Amino acid sequence: MLAKLKTFTLVGIEALPVEVEVDVSPSGLPKQILVGLPEAAVKESTHRVERAMVNSGFQRPQSRIVINLAPADLPKDAASFDLPIAIGTLIGSGQVASELLAHFAIVGELALDGTTRPTKGALSMAIATAEDKNLRGLIVPAESAAEAAVVEGITVIAVQSLAQAVAFLTGEIEIEPTPSRLDDLFRELANYEVDFSDVRGQEMAKRAIIVSAAGGHNLLMIGPPGSGKTMLAKRMPTILPDLTPSESIETTRIYSAVGRLKPGQPLLAVRPFRSPHHTISDAGLVGGGSTPTPGEISMSHNGVLFLDELPEFNRRTLEVLRQPLEDGMVTISRALNSTTFPANFMLIAALNPCPCGYRGDSRRSCNCSTPQIERYMSKISGPLLDRIDLHIEVPAVPFRELSGGTPGTSSAEMRAVVAAARQRQTERFCNTKTRYNADMSHRQTRQFCVLDNECSNLLKGAMAEMGLSARAHDKILRVARTIADLDNCDGVKPHHLNEAINYRMLDRNLWT
């Protein structure tokens, strides 16, 4: 007897439909054959499924069982095929009959006792279910149900075991669909544990951070050890606008596909902050592997990627950031296929001005030689620096500011300023794909950053004196547009342009 069920497999972060065909036919010796390009995890499922069926009170068919995972040319690599294979085997052997199989997709890993285990990529599979007009809902393990239920418009059935899934399909029991708690999840999870009021002093650095957050600009901080660079970077997400539902689902899909969602947190309600160690590999940063998986830049999608001690990173690893910083996505190509991951993140980098860290510090002497400093700084290439919009100095904080009782500017105050500037950008780019000033195309930069004669002469002088590239020229204009938005100005004024130019001067002093 032949049984057909619908399920999904993950390719990158996308869920692709798979049809599970199970044919059970009489044979002299029991035999189980699995075809359809199964990887190791799927091949091993036959043993899990066999014991799960027996331990759930069903009979193991003493017949020839052929399991086909179609399409046959698509590699399948996940344990989520356990539940559909088990149910297909029971139906093919005549132990179970159901009319609901045409309306529900089934995913889930099985333990040997027949209980279900959580599935990676449940959110992507729920989205794919919603896009299939022939499907009414999705049957998933109970631990993944809240994640799948984020998608509205489908019926998500949470099952705790193979026996419960069979009982639902045969109509023996009714299972209430898992409700979508999108608004409740945002209220419960949209909280940050840190605040900019914790940072004493550094008001100039906070100003640059407001500009960076308002326009989505990348930021480089240079200063001695202990000056507060890491504290400032960690608090950047607290002043960014709240994640929209669509942004939250985009980011959650990535975390779900790699199994990084925390227990009890089916949805990311705060902007991600990733801070990889400087020993990270190329594949760890941008993604890769024989089966491409997302890297740190994709885990930072719609959030912040912080690279501390930037010169300590491998130079080749840093160079792979150049294309994603421009495009907002990264494509991993392999012999058989290519996978594109979203990577629209804000880059914040921090470094010391020299190997010892105290170059230019009036309180400490620097013992680094000129060749040592040159070797240290040369690990960061000019093309990468060119893609970072703002370069600021974060000096050591004096004792009077550390010991003072006045708290620093709070995240709430900074967020209000950023939100007002972001609202102006939303209205400006309402009919385009552009979201922030940093994302403006060359044509949009010319359209929205019109300069008068005084501003043109100012920029012309800066270009000649600092030797800026065409990319840096456009970035200065975009930053100036953001500063004008913060001032609630329709046009770019000379003092806006002056501030934007000043944010490009520090690297010219340190790398020349």
Side-chain angles (χ1 to χ4, degrees), residues 300-313:
S300 308
H301 181 59
N302 290 322
V304 175
L305 175 67
F306 177 48
L307 302 182
D308 201 3
E309 307 298 344
L310 190 64
E312 301 300 333
F313 283 79

Side-chain angles (χ1 to χ4, degrees), residues 402-480:
L402 285 175
S403 59
T406 305
T409 308
S410 70
S411 292
E413 295 170 329
M414 297 170 71
R415 190 189 305 116
V417 176
V418 170
R422 286 282 181 105
Q423 181 58 37
R424 289 179 65 88
Q425 294 167 55
T426 301
E427 295 168 1
R428 178 180 302 129
F429 306 124
C430 61
N431 296 318
T432 68
K433 293 182 178 179
T434 305
R435 293 190 291 179
Y436 319 126
N437 288 336
D439 299 334
M440 280 194 290
S441 65
H442 182 74
R443 181 178 297 176
Q444 288 172 325
T445 304
R446 290 285 177 271
Q447 179 182 353
F448 297 117
C449 305
V450 179
L451 303 181
D452 58 22
N453 288 335
E454 184 179 354
C455 290
S456 294
N457 292 333
L458 186 63
L459 185 56
K460 181 180 178 181
M463 291 281 292
E465 182 181 343
M466 299 165 64
L468 297 174
S469 67
R471 179 186 290 112
H473 169 275
D474 280 6
K475 285 192 175 294
I476 286 176
L477 289 177
R478 292 173 189 141
V479 172

Side-chain angles (χ1 to χ4, degrees), residues 168-304:
F168 170 76
L169 290 170
T170 56
E172 294 178 18
I173 63 172
E174 291 286 336
I175 299 178
E176 285 294 320
T178 303
S180 177
R181 299 175 52 245
L182 205 56
D183 294 336
D184 293 340
L185 289 171
F186 271 102
R187 280 195 297 270
E188 293 171 12
L189 303 174
N191 298 305
Y192 293 98
E193 297 179 355
V194 293
D195 193 279
F196 266 107
S197 60
D198 303 331
V199 183
R200 300 297 178 91
Q202 302 298 9
E203 294 302 317
M204 294 299 293
K206 287 182 181 180
R207 166 64 180 177
I209 283 174
I210 288 175
V211 174
S212 174
H217 303 289
N218 302 318
L219 175 68
L220 177 73
M221 296 186 286
I222 305 173
S227 59
K229 302 184 294 295
T230 303
M231 281 187 74
L232 290 165
K234 284 183 176 179
R235 285 154 179 76
M236 173 67 91
T238 67
I239 66 170
L240 294 173
D242 294 335
L243 278 175
T244 64
S246 61
E247 286 178 333
S248 177
I249 289 174
E250 282 177 10
T251 311
T252 304
R253 287 181 69 187
I254 300 168
Y255 280 72
S256 172
V258 294
R260 296 286 186 88
L261 286 177
K262 297 177 182 178
Q265 185 179 337
L267 186 74
L268 286 180
V270 295
R271 295 191 178 271
F273 177 86
R274 305 292 299 179
S275 180
H277 193 259
H278 61 258
T279 55
I280 192 171
S281 65
D282 301 4
L285 189 61
V286 300
S290 55
T291 301
T293 55
E296 288 290 337
I297 62 172
S298 296
M299 303 281 282
S300 308
H301 181 59
N302 290 322
V304 175

